[in-house]
Amino acid sequence: MVLSSFCLRIKGNKFCSRTMKYLNSSADLLDKKSSCIVTSLKNARRLAKSLGGAKQLRNTIRDFIDKNGNSICVQLDGKIERLLIVGGALKSSDLDSLAKLVTPVASQLIKMPIKDAVFDLEAFKTKKVKWDHIVQVIAKAVTDNAYQYDKHKSKAAEKYSLKQVRLHAPGAEKRELSNAIRLANALDEGLKLAKDLGNEPPNVCNPNYLLKESRRLARKPNVSVSSFNETKMKELGMGAFLAVSKGSEAPGQMVTIRYNGAKANQAPVILIGKGITFDTGGISLKPPPAMDEMKFDMCGAASVIGATMAAIEAKLKINLITIVAAAENMPSGRATRPGDIVKSYSGKTIEILNTDAEGRLVLCDAIAYAKSFKPKAIVDVATLTGACIIALGSHASALYSNDDQLANSLESAANESGDKVWRMPLWEEYQGNLKSNFADMANVGGREAGSVVAACFLSRFADNEKWAHLDIAGSAFHSGPRKGSTGRPVPLLFKYLQSQEN
Ligand code: BES
Ligand code: MN
Ligand code: ZN
């Protein structure tokens, strides 16, 4: 029997990029010394027998019920120190159910005093779930559980000891498996970067910080980073963007990251991220409760930077342009007033009726600017509306698009990555809400259909380009005791970018 195993390396919580590393060994599952093998009950019985641990196994699992959510660890004496048995393995019918099975195991694994673990992927293989999906789900579960953010604690969080996870699949094609692991390592890096940026406090993470972090990507081959400062934006006529950053002491930046992974003549995919590093609402000031969470208003930017990092790490054969619209929305004597009229980069004029609807203002100039690259598609990502949270909660991001094919690609990427979206309408009827008596349009409609109307506003700037918008107000971060960035929709964007290779 030809056996192979690979390695996914997980490092500590350093705020720096990690080396992507996977091992491709042809060792038998039992050949190598290992702290822990993660497997099913059925396979554990077989493994324990070969290891001379049948009796330990029998004693330990006496009361074990083999069902989803249950797991048990069998201690052995030999060079394999533990078998971690996952209840309900071999029964997954899709990615969601596999994720439900694996997530608690990943959390248990992180707490164990071990340096390495090997997943016996055969234990999770069913007809309906492919090998690369198993790798993806396991790696994602481990990545999420291994994430720690203690940069600003005076005492570092207790470190887990797990250093590497090997993925072992005798039945899988070597190339399929090594490719899946390569992508998993890239996603791990992109997710960590997105979460770190999202969690960073707003007195540190301002527009210049996002520029600085973007510039780090330019150390990699085929990547360059440039930015328009406010002077340049004034010159270009980006009046909508400037109306937002005007009230802040922290100057805005429109950052462009270019990654050339394909032939120069191939049209680029464009990702745009809302990078409001703090959203007070401006003169239309927000109420105090949970206002701290408006530091997450740059999670769109964090996710496009994270997805770009993953694409670069995975050396995807695409041309990608990532635009980060970074500004802070503050009230001040210089801030935009409700009633002010500004001229956007597109030439269209906007009556700003509510300074808290600022995301669409920075994005509309970014979208109009994106058109100059003659893109294959434009996808913007934004924590755009509270109404989106009311509509979909935190489970799905809202998807809007003026192009069915693009919407389908994004929906497939969502299904394949488990990073859910739900498509919402962009019907003409909703456009009426944006009527202004004084300018080409207002920046807000009424109370109804807030997320849809915000998307309608953006659609006016995309014109005939293939464009999609993801409202991630509900999915980008957790509130309450788990407060923190989720890194979403990095998994979805990364999958989508993979689908754009040809
Ligand atoms: N950043 C907010 C949206 C938001 C709210 C994201 C809560 C995440 C959690 C956005 O800039 C905003 O303030 N939107 C307003 C729009 C309204 C004034 C039309 C909103 O949703 O209330
Ligand atoms: Mn706002
Ligand atoms: Zn906002």
Side-chain angles (χ1 to χ4, degrees):
M1 191 164 39
V2 183
L3 297 170
S4 51
S5 64
F6 299 80
C7 175
L8 163 70
R9 226 173 230 294
I10 304 147
K11 278 208 188 146
N13 69 329
K14 288 259 173 58
F15 198 67
C16 65
S17 67
R18 286 167 275 177
T19 46
M20 188 229 292
K21 187 170 180 179
Y22 64 88
L23 299 177
N24 180 350
S25 81
S26 53
D28 187 290
L29 190 53
L30 302 180
D31 267 6
K32 270 197 155 174
K33 184 171 158 37
S34 175
S35 324
C36 182
I37 297 177
V38 187
T39 188
S40 62
L41 180 59
K42 183 171 154 226
N43 286 8
R45 285 208 170 95
R46 204 186 62 219
L47 293 168
K49 214 163 164 188
S50 318
L51 292 164
K55 197 167 155 213
Q56 276 123 307
L57 180 95
R58 232 180 299 117
N59 288 342
T60 315
I61 65 162
R62 193 164 290 147
D63 297 325
F64 178 67
I65 301 167
D66 187 12
K67 69 166 201 197
N68 208 336
N70 287 355
S71 64
I72 195 161
C73 188
V74 183
Q75 307 274 344
L76 301 173
D77 299 324
K79 65 176 182 179
I80 309 288
E81 294 166 8
R82 295 168 189 81
L83 296 174
L84 179 55
I85 301 173
V86 183
L90 281 175
K91 290 180 192 129
S92 308
S93 53
D94 57 21
L95 291 192
D96 266 2
S97 57
L98 183 59
K100 280 201 191 101
L101 195 79
V102 170
T103 302
V105 178
S107 128
Q108 189 174 351
L109 212 52
I110 290 294
K111 290 175 201 130
M112 284 161 63
I114 57 174
K115 286 214 168 70
D116 81 299
V118 48
F119 274 82
D120 169 17
L121 300 194
E122 206 185 29
F124 302 93
K125 183 79 183 88
T126 59
K127 266 206 189 113
K128 291 183 183 145
V129 187
K130 296 190 298 183
W131 290 112
D132 53 346
H133 281 149
I134 301 177
V135 172
Q136 177 190 306
V137 169
I138 289 174
K140 173 73 164 53
V142 175
T143 292
D144 279 343
N145 274 287
Y147 182 75
Q148 289 179 320
Y149 183 79
D150 61 358
K151 198 181 164 194
H152 300 284
K153 303 247 189 194
S154 51
K155 242 173 90 192
E158 202 177 306
K159 296 284 175 292
Y160 49 85
S161 60
L162 192 69
K163 289 277 185 314
Q164 64 183 40
V165 172
R166 284 184 291 141
L167 300 148
H168 178 89
E173 215 186 285
K174 257 191 188 172
R175 208 153 37 105
E176 186 189 9
L177 203 59
S178 67
N179 194 44
I181 289 168
R182 190 175 64 87
L183 295 173
N185 280 309
L187 179 60
D188 179 70
E189 297 225 8
L191 264 174
K192 178 169 159 48
L193 176 59
K195 286 185 196 176
D196 280 345
L197 292 174
N199 288 331
E200 200 65 11
N203 58 333
V204 175
C205 180
N206 59 22
N208 277 328
Y209 183 87
L210 286 180
L211 170 59
K212 206 179 77 206
E213 286 295 307
S214 299
R215 285 218 166 104
R216 290 158 69 104
L217 297 183
R219 294 179 193 162
K220 302 273 177 178
N222 306 318
V223 184
S224 64
V225 174
S226 59
S227 187
F228 296 147
N229 61 18
E230 291 191 353
T231 314
K232 182 69 190 175
M233 284 192 269
K234 257 180 219 137
E235 213 179 289
L236 292 168
M238 295 185 162
F241 181 105
L242 290 167
V244 176
S245 67
K246 235 175 114 196
S248 170
E249 298 291 322
Q253 294 284 356
M254 181 81 83
V255 186
T256 304
I257 308 168
R258 290 178 177 78
Y259 165 62
N260 296 317
K263 288 207 184 89
N265 63 2
Q266 240 185 65
V269 173
I270 302 203
L271 298 181
I272 299 175
K274 170 178 173 183
I276 299 297
T277 59
F278 196 70
D279 181 12
T280 63
I283 296 299
S284 314
L285 195 63
K286 285 182 181 298
M291 204 207 267
D292 68 289
E293 291 183 357
M294 284 301 106
K295 73 170 185 174
F296 295 120
D297 214 19
M298 38 59 70
C299 280
S303 73
V304 299
I305 295 171
T308 303
M309 162 90 134
I312 296 167
E313 284 296 327
K315 300 191 171 66
L316 295 189
K317 293 182 184 63
I318 54 166
N319 290 330
L320 173 64
I321 294 177
T322 303
I323 300 171
V324 176
E328 189 181 47
N329 188 21
M330 296 291 263
S332 86
R334 278 192 305 276
T336 293
R337 293 157 288 256
D340 283 2
I341 293 177
V342 296
K343 190 172 194 165
S344 68
Y345 183 60
S346 71
K348 296 183 169 98
T349 59
I350 304 163
E351 183 186 14
I352 299 175
L353 292 176
N354 189 323
T355 63
D356 198 11
E358 84 298 338
R360 61 197 80 180
L361 295 174
V362 297
L363 290 173
C364 75
D365 279 353
I367 292 169
Y369 168 58
K371 281 163 47 177
S372 64
F373 294 105
K374 304 217 163 20
K376 194 170 164 188
I378 301 172
V379 180
D380 80 68
V381 188
T383 47
L384 204 61
T385 64
C388 178
I389 312 175
I390 304 298
L392 294 174
S394 62
H395 301 301
S397 307
L399 164 66
Y400 298 87
S401 183
N402 59 8
D403 184 83
D404 287 341
Q405 212 186 335
L406 174 58
N408 290 344
S409 305
L410 287 163
E411 280 180 319
S412 307
N415 296 337
E416 289 259 311
S417 62
D419 190 354
K420 294 188 169 83
V421 299
W422 191 256
R423 189 164 180 194
M424 306 274 276
L426 265 180
W427 299 319
E428 195 52 40
E429 290 91 317
Y430 292 102
Q431 292 280 358
N433 295 38
L434 292 168
K435 192 184 161 310
S436 160
N437 286 351
F438 306 108
D440 295 344
M441 69 191 89
N443 75 328
V444 289
R447 271 167 46 82
E448 288 177 11
S451 177
V452 182
V453 173
C456 284
F457 180 93
L458 296 178
S459 75
R460 295 176 177 215
F461 297 84
D463 271 335
N464 298 322
E465 297 292 339
K466 290 181 179 165
W467 159 83
H469 158 63
L470 293 166
D471 194 335
I472 59 164
S475 57
F477 61 93
H478 296 296
S479 306
R482 290 168 72 207
K483 194 189 286 182
S485 164
T486 61
R488 288 178 68 187
V490 172
L492 153 69
L493 294 173
F494 186 41
K495 243 329 164 215
Y496 166 69
L497 294 176
Q498 286 165 43
S499 76
Q500 296 306 296
E501 284 187 310
N502 46 26

